[in-house]
Amino acid sequence: MLTLGDLCAEPDFSLRVVDGSPPAADRVVDAVRVLPGTSWDRDPLGDVGDELVVIRPFGDGPADRQWGKDAAERLVRELARQRATALVVAVGRHGAAAVPAAIRVSAGRRNVPLLTTTKTLQEWSDLAPRLREYRRRHAEWQAEQLAALLNRLPDRLADADVTVMQRVADWLAAALEAEVLVSDPQRGVLAASPETAPGTFAPLLVGRSVEPSGALSPNTRFVPLAGGGSGTVLAVAASRPFDDAGTDLTRHAAKVLGLIDQAGRRHHQVAYAERELRLSAFQLLMIGEEAAAQRVMAPLAPGLLDMESIRVYVIDCAEEDREITARLGERAVADHALLVRCPAFNHLIVVDLARDGDPGKSYEPGNPYDPSDTAEALRRIVASLPSHRMGGSRTHELGEVADAYEEARTALAVAGQLPDRVALAEERMHLVDVLPPKTARRWAGTLLHPLLTLPMSRRDQLLRTLDLGLELRHKAAGRLLGIHRNTVTHRITTCFDLLGLDRDRVLNQVVVSAALKIVIAHGHDDLSTDPEADFVAMVSVSEVRAWAESFLRPLTDDPRDLPRTLRAWLENDTHVESTATALDISPVTVRAHLRTAAPLIQRELTLDLDADSLPDTDEHVLSGVRPLAFALHATTGRPLLPGRPVHG
């Protein structure tokens, strides 16, 4: 529909609002009524609702002035009663001074919009029939704008996101020649067009409570988005006063933006719920509850965890935005692997079906998915992001996700030094693989006897927490297990109290951790009458000696006798200052030796190196220390490892 503002914008009509007249740009103009001469005083007006009434002023003589005053009052009173669009006075030049005072006073008192035009009444009589053409063009423009709005929407509302919001904002800004901002008090700017819009609206939005028809000026509108309650608002500052068309387009835009916002928020809520389910499933796998994890994932991805053998990959996203990598990873693994956002570190964790995990299952060339695709897809993602690195585990059973996760994290220490920043856990033998199973089972069962004889539910809870809590700092372990860090600390303290071992001694933690790995891998046997003899026999076999020499061999090429520093470091509970005193060297030298040794043995040795930046310096990470301590003990007899528990 055509408005007074639209006509004022058309040069053909030469219209200008008289200063002080009430705003009327959004008033509808259905027709133009030209009143020739002074007939407006004598002839009945008829129906002038929503019409633009054009007159010429009366003469300037005393009689004219008196007559004009009475006539103006009668005319304006009738225009006000019928809600005419406005009164236009044809004058030689624009300005309030060109309009008789009687007309100005009457129009002001009756709140009738008053305008001037420099076109003659004859010219207005000629222009009036063209009003239909203006109205047709205006209707076509509105239709084109609404079509443009529809073309900016996705085929499915489920696909709506902030990019759609931006497209709608760009459309509205172009249609109204305006600055447009979509913002929320909590979420900030959601869309802006042009880029300068946030600066324009910032002082206007501070502390402002927006009502459905909120307007700060004829040129500005604040409209809450449909669906309310979120505080999201559409703000528009147009280059000219709002008319009905501009108001309608703004209202349409607010409705569309509201639907987009609702769809986006619901999508985020669903996505968040799915992420929490996946994390819950992973946390259940970390404590060995694979059946429960399968039940959790069944509604979301049926059959995803119906696998016997798995590999775990850990992607370190460094200081980058993890969500970007997560979206790439989710597209890469689809529903063929379990991807979770690590609750402890800026990592992504992927539990994938092991390619060689099921000898009875073959993968034909036509199979749409080969498990090896996951590793390759993750490699490509890491290769495209220079700050990222990835570690991967060996093949494990589904119930050994915690061990596989530890291996993948250990591999991260090596990944940063490799050209492609990807490292898989070495396939060489691990300590638990070379220990004599029967002797190892007997020794581990004896050492952990007070824990292994607890009721099953309590036993499994403590053992799983102890295992992970010795590999990670307690805060991180708690997040991975879904429990508070204080709970982790309490359970570990309980375990060491039951075992009769001093929890604060690193070497005590080393042997307890090794015993746990043995029980997880081989189970536990009848108790030994001489656990110390079992321990000596366990670490003295030739296979252990060969493994230890292989593990330490990379250190022998360095002239600084790195094994000597490492032995002293372990014997001094991984305290750098105490180690330096024992060796009569500087702490700087000790740290330099440790930093050199770590990549050579492909393990992290960070227990006391970064104590100033870590809040819990009494928590020791054993994934690198455990094999180092056993390798040094097996080859040199030092450090002495407490093979005998102190309980009876």
Side-chain angles (χ1 to χ4, degrees):
M1 72 185 56
L2 195 66
T3 66
L4 185 59
D6 297 324
L7 284 185
C8 288
E10 293 289 346
D12 289 349
F13 294 98
S14 184
L15 285 169
R16 188 172 299 175
V17 178
V18 173
D19 290 342
S21 181
D26 58 350
R27 289 203 176 190
V28 175
V29 180
D30 276 346
V32 172
R33 177 76 61 91
V34 178
L35 302 180
T38 59
S39 64
W40 46 271
D41 175 49
R42 300 183 303 273
D43 299 337
L45 292 177
D47 182 9
V48 291
D50 290 337
E51 287 190 351
L52 195 67
V53 177
V54 184
I55 65 172
R56 68 175 180 80
F58 39 79
D60 197 34
D64 288 335
R65 284 198 295 272
Q66 182 57 44
W67 165 82
K69 180 179 179 182
D70 296 338
E73 178 63 24
R74 288 193 297 272
L75 173 66
V76 172
R77 182 171 61 245
E78 185 64 15
L79 295 181
R81 185 184 70 81
Q82 294 195 44
R83 293 190 59 79
T85 300
L87 176 62
V88 179
V89 181
V91 295
R93 57 183 176 80
H94 287 298
V99 180
I103 295 177
R104 295 201 313 270
V105 171
S106 294
R109 186 166 57 247
R110 300 288 181 179
N111 205 34
V112 173
L114 183 63
L115 294 86
T116 57
T117 179
T118 56
K119 298 288 185 179
T120 66
L121 294 187
Q122 183 57 50
E123 288 174 318
W124 269 95
S125 296
D126 296 339
L127 284 169
R130 295 170 55 186
L131 191 65
R132 294 190 186 90
E133 175 64 17
Y134 283 108
R135 293 178 66 178
R136 183 188 64 78
R137 283 167 40 195
H138 191 71
E140 288 179 350
W141 176 83
Q142 282 187 293
E144 289 173 359
Q145 295 305 323
L146 291 175
L149 171 60
L150 292 176
N151 289 335
R152 281 160 175 78
L153 301 181
D155 293 334
R156 300 183 311 158
L157 197 56
D159 296 330
D161 57 17
V162 290
T163 62
V164 180
M165 272 195 170
Q166 184 60 50
R167 292 202 296 271
V168 173
D170 291 339
W171 158 78
L172 188 61
L176 300 183
E177 299 178 7
E179 290 191 273
V180 175
L181 182 74
V182 184
S183 64
D184 182 272
Q186 282 73 45
R187 294 177 289 164
V189 174
L190 303 180
S193 185
E195 294 181 355
T196 56
T200 299
F201 287 104
L204 305 180
L205 288 170
V206 174
R208 178 175 176 79
S209 176
V210 180
E211 298 298 331
S213 59
L216 193 66
S217 74
N219 296 51
T220 307
R221 290 289 185 275
F222 293 91
V223 185
L225 265 55
S230 68
T232 312
V233 64
L234 167 64
V236 184
S239 58
R240 59 181 182 175
F242 273 81
D243 54 20
D244 279 358
T247 300
D248 285 345
L249 291 182
T250 301
R251 187 171 63 250
H252 291 319
K255 288 181 179 178
V256 169
L257 288 167
L259 291 174
I260 294 170
D261 188 45
Q262 288 180 56
R265 284 186 282 120
R266 287 172 184 168
H267 170 75
H268 288 306
Q269 290 168 356
V270 171
Y272 177 77
E274 289 184 356
R275 292 173 190 173
E276 289 299 297
L277 278 176
R278 292 177 185 273
L279 177 58
S280 296
F282 175 74
Q283 290 172 331
L284 287 168
L285 290 174
M286 289 290 285
I287 61 174
E289 296 287 348
E290 55 265 35
Q294 290 167 337
R295 288 195 297 272
V296 167
M297 286 302 298
L300 188 61
L304 176 62
L305 295 182
D306 293 345
M307 54 183 77
E308 293 183 3
S309 299
I310 54 93
R311 292 181 186 271
V312 170
Y313 302 94
V314 177
I315 298 177
D316 182 357
C317 301
E319 301 299 323
E320 303 299 324
D321 183 357
R322 182 171 65 180
E323 283 307 302
I324 296 174
T325 313
R327 286 194 288 270
L328 294 174
E330 286 168 343
R331 286 197 293 268
V333 306
D335 287 330
H336 304 299
L338 176 64
L339 182 148
V340 299
R341 292 153 176 81
C342 177
F345 308 103
N346 195 33
H347 294 171
L348 295 173
I349 305 168
V350 178
V351 180
D352 186 37
L353 172 67
R355 179 173 45 180
D356 54 352
D358 187 354
K361 184 176 182 180
S362 61
Y363 294 91
E364 302 298 334
N367 192 317
Y369 177 71
D370 184 324
S372 62
D373 292 347
T374 298
E376 185 56 36
L378 296 178
R379 280 180 180 272
R380 288 195 295 268
I381 291 172
V382 172
S384 69
L385 301 167
S387 63
H388 288 43
R389 57 189 178 128
M390 183 175 81
S393 74
R394 299 182 299 169
T395 300
H396 287 264
E397 294 181 2
L398 182 61
E400 298 173 352
V401 165
D403 287 338
Y405 169 75
E406 292 164 15
E407 283 186 1
R409 281 196 71 250
T410 298
L412 279 177
V414 183
Q417 303 157 31
L418 300 178
D420 62 354
R421 290 168 280 108
V422 174
L424 301 182
E426 69 277 14
E427 294 298 335
R428 68 184 183 182
M429 303 297 281
H430 287 217
L431 172 62
V432 73
D433 300 323
V434 298
L435 294 173
K438 184 177 180 179
T439 308
R441 284 162 56 96
R442 193 167 57 238
W443 170 76
T446 303
L447 182 70
L448 300 178
H449 177 258
L451 293 176
L452 298 174
T453 54
L454 291 172
M456 182 180 295
S457 60
R458 178 65 168 159
R459 177 197 67 196
D460 291 347
Q461 180 189 76
L462 289 177
L463 290 180
R464 289 293 181 179
T465 306
L466 179 61
D467 184 33
L468 191 62
L470 291 177
E471 297 294 340
L472 302 173
R473 298 189 178 276
H474 296 179
K475 185 176 183 179
R479 288 179 175 174
L480 285 165
L481 294 174
I483 59 179
H484 195 276
R485 55 165 293 176
N486 291 346
T487 303
V488 175
T489 302
H490 174 71
R491 290 180 183 175
I492 291 176
T493 300
T494 299
C495 290
F496 275 86
D497 288 345
L498 289 171
L499 297 177
L501 294 172
D502 183 354
R503 185 204 127 182
D504 295 330
R505 298 300 305 273
V506 172
L507 294 179
N508 285 347
Q509 297 179 33
V510 165
V511 295
V512 170
S513 178
L516 281 169
K517 300 301 180 188
I518 293 168
V519 169
I520 292 171
H522 300 304
H524 56 91
D525 215 337
D526 295 336
L527 301 183
S528 169
T529 57
D530 190 353
E532 189 169 12
D534 283 339
F535 180 79
V536 172
M538 180 180 73
V539 298
S540 300
V541 298
S542 59
E543 291 83 356
V544 173
R545 176 92 182 184
W547 166 83
E549 290 173 348
S550 173
F551 184 89
L552 298 172
R553 188 171 295 119
L555 302 174
T556 59
D557 293 335
D558 193 287
R560 290 174 289 182
D561 196 358
L562 298 178
R564 174 174 175 264
T565 302
L566 294 172
R567 282 194 302 271
W569 180 64
L570 290 170
E571 289 169 344
N572 285 275
D573 276 324
T574 70
H575 296 312
V576 170
E577 297 288 344
S578 302
T579 303
T581 300
L583 296 176
D584 196 23
I585 58 178
S586 72
V588 173
T589 301
V590 174
R591 290 190 175 91
H593 288 188
L594 292 171
R595 290 195 176 97
T596 300
L600 293 176
I601 61 174
Q602 300 183 6
R603 293 294 188 276
E604 286 185 307
L605 303 175
T606 57
L607 301 193
D608 193 44
L609 292 179
D610 304 311
D612 292 340
S613 62
L614 296 171
D616 307 306
T617 56
D618 61 328
E619 299 175 9
H620 297 293
V621 184
L622 299 182
S623 57
V625 174
R626 182 179 56 253
L628 173 63
F630 270 85
L632 288 170
H633 179 84
T635 54
T636 67
R638 291 177 53 199
L640 292 174
L641 297 179
R644 179 194 295 273
V646 298
H647 55 267

